[in-house]
Amino acid sequence: MGHGGGAQSQHTYCTAIPWDKAQAGDLVFYPDDSHVGIVGGWDATGNLSIIHCTPSGGVIITGQEHCSHISDL
């Protein structure tokens, strides 16, 4: 169930976890809670795949390089 209010509001419902404990479906937050993505899983080289929307409304998959922290619900 969504909580609304953007990334900052969503972050208040989450518990921080270490990056190496990430599982598909966990939320990742960008600096200053400016954006939120979802962990898609680990790729073959051991890197996290992060699914998130672009400002133009598209969906992309990136790594964790721009994310500041990770949480689970």
Side-chain angles (χ1 to χ4, degrees):
M1 171 173 29
H3 297 287
Q8 187 173 22
S9 176
Q10 291 175 17
H11 198 181
T12 64
Y13 289 93
C14 297
T15 302
I17 60 171
W19 286 101
D20 64 346
K21 302 295 183 196
Q23 296 182 10
D26 288 339
L27 300 180
V28 294
F29 294 89
Y30 291 72
D32 300 322
D33 290 339
S34 61
H35 190 62
V36 64
I38 301 170
V39 173
W42 296 89
D43 68 16
T45 60
N47 295 309
L48 278 178
S49 295
I50 308 297
I51 304 163
H52 57 106
C53 295
T54 65
S56 63
V59 175
I60 60 173
I61 299 174
T62 62
Q64 74 183 69
E65 59 273 355
H66 299 292
C67 303
S68 59
H69 41 275
I70 186 167
S71 302
D72 65 3
L73 292 173

